[in-house]
Amino acid sequence: MNRARHIAIIMDGNGRWAELKDKKRVKGHEAGGRVVKEITTYCSNNKDIERLTLYAFSTENWKRPRLEVEFLMKLLEKYLKDELENYIKNNIRFEPIGDLRAFSKSLRKTIQNIQEKTAHCDGLVQSLALNYGAQDEILRALNSIKNSEKDITEAMLSNALDCKHSVDLLIRTGGDHRLSNFLLWQAAYAELFFTDTLWPDFTTNELEKIIKDFKKIERRFGGLK
Ligand code: IPE
Ligand code: IPE
Ligand code: MG
């Protein structure tokens, strides 16, 4: 049976969730933050799962209204500060991916602090994709190795990426069927699951059901059974 060692999630649908309830979009992000905590804790208690990579803010999300972007930055900082205790209690290591240079000094400091304080944790790795875009990640990786004497190999490029781990199971909530520039290299052989559930309504029960279905899939990786 397959093991979902690395699960990646495109957490989509916060804004629509709020709009359906006649609330401001940011209320959806707040509710979404609570689900991040729930799903992360669930994964940290499932021994099959080694890594959970969550798409929190894309390189394209800067196009949103300034106030929404500012809210998301504040929410992220608050989330990380509030969660430090839980990361440690549940033995979760925090590892950001994405180009953090775009963030404020204060947010970068918080990110670095959580990373350092959880560096010794050897349970689940929770990786938040922050100012992340797969195309940007691949370009930064290529630029960092382009002066090598030898031709670039798959292993060299893979090692130069922010996320060096292939994805087993990729889930997108919110009803759309696209990758929106998420883990394009690492998801080469991921099993893709799409659900209409909006992220703030996503539950550990639904995740459990998806994992159960994932386990039944015959993964061939181009070979034969
Ligand atoms: C995903 O929810 C969260 C982020 C992109 C930060 P959205 O904000 O995209 O919610 P919808 O898709 O507009 O409903
Ligand atoms: C993808 O959601 C990015 C995150 C979940 C952080 P978007 O809402 O930004 O994606 P599009 O615009 O629908 O492709
Ligand atoms: Mg969206």
Side-chain angles (χ1 to χ4, degrees):
M1 239 178 337
N2 300 317
R3 276 179 61 199
R5 288 191 179 85
H6 184 186
I7 299 179
I9 308 183
I10 301 173
M11 311 182 288
D12 197 22
N14 292 352
R16 279 164 287 163
W17 179 89
E19 279 154 17
L20 281 169
K21 293 187 149 49
D22 272 332
K23 292 180 179 174
K24 296 222 162 78
R25 288 178 56 84
V26 293
K27 289 287 167 198
H29 297 314
E30 263 174 14
R34 293 192 282 275
V35 178
V36 170
K37 178 184 170 137
E38 253 174 61
I39 295 295
T40 302
T41 306
Y42 169 85
C43 290
S44 73
N45 289 316
N46 180 326
K47 290 289 159 260
D48 275 352
I49 307 169
E50 293 164 7
R51 189 170 282 272
L52 174 68
T53 304
L54 301 171
Y55 208 2
F57 192 85
S58 77
T59 45
E60 286 73 37
N61 286 147
W62 297 104
K63 293 177 195 158
R64 296 188 178 199
R66 185 178 56 88
L67 285 178
E68 182 169 341
V69 171
E70 279 174 12
F71 183 90
L72 284 166
M73 297 299 141
K74 281 202 198 106
L75 182 69
L76 174 63
E77 193 155 0
K78 184 174 178 332
Y79 178 86
L80 291 173
K81 284 181 175 162
D82 290 351
E83 280 311 291
L84 178 57
E85 222 175 288
N86 267 319
Y87 280 114
I88 296 186
K89 192 178 95 199
N90 293 308
N91 196 23
I92 300 168
R93 190 162 85 236
F94 166 71
E95 265 181 16
I97 56 168
D99 189 350
L100 304 179
R101 292 172 299 184
F103 295 129
S104 71
K105 220 173 156 183
S106 146
L107 180 53
R108 283 198 317 253
K109 223 174 124 192
T110 303
I111 291 170
Q112 199 190 342
N113 183 43
I114 308 295
Q115 214 176 342
E116 284 169 8
K117 296 250 165 70
T118 62
H120 66 282
C121 297
D122 61 1
L124 179 78
V125 178
Q126 186 220 45
S127 181
L128 289 188
L130 306 170
N131 188 30
Y132 176 88
Q135 292 176 337
D136 176 66
E137 177 193 36
I138 292 167
L139 278 179
R140 281 187 287 109
L142 285 174
N143 279 315
S144 74
I145 54 180
K146 69 175 180 212
N147 294 329
S148 120
E149 312 263 285
K150 301 186 201 115
D151 282 353
I152 295 172
T153 62
E154 205 175 298
M156 275 165 76
L157 177 56
S158 191
N159 267 319
L161 294 171
D162 300 344
C163 173
K164 304 168 191 7
H165 310 270
S166 62
V167 175
D168 297 303
L169 168 59
L170 189 148
I171 301 167
R172 182 177 187 134
T173 63
D176 285 315
H177 297 187
R178 56 175 171 264
L179 294 177
S180 300
N181 203 9
F182 191 43
L183 301 175
L184 298 181
W185 175 275
Q186 299 86 344
Y189 258 105
E191 302 298 332
L192 309 180
F193 281 71
F194 299 95
T195 168
D196 288 339
T197 305
L198 303 171
W199 177 250
D201 288 329
F202 193 68
T203 59
T204 53
N205 271 348
E206 185 167 3
L207 177 59
E208 217 161 59
K209 203 181 153 293
I210 292 173
I211 293 173
K212 212 171 142 205
D213 290 344
F214 162 85
K215 283 186 173 167
K216 290 188 233 152
I217 295 170
E218 187 193 301
R219 301 182 79 193
R220 290 186 295 277
F221 300 97
L224 300 176
K225 195 179 164 196

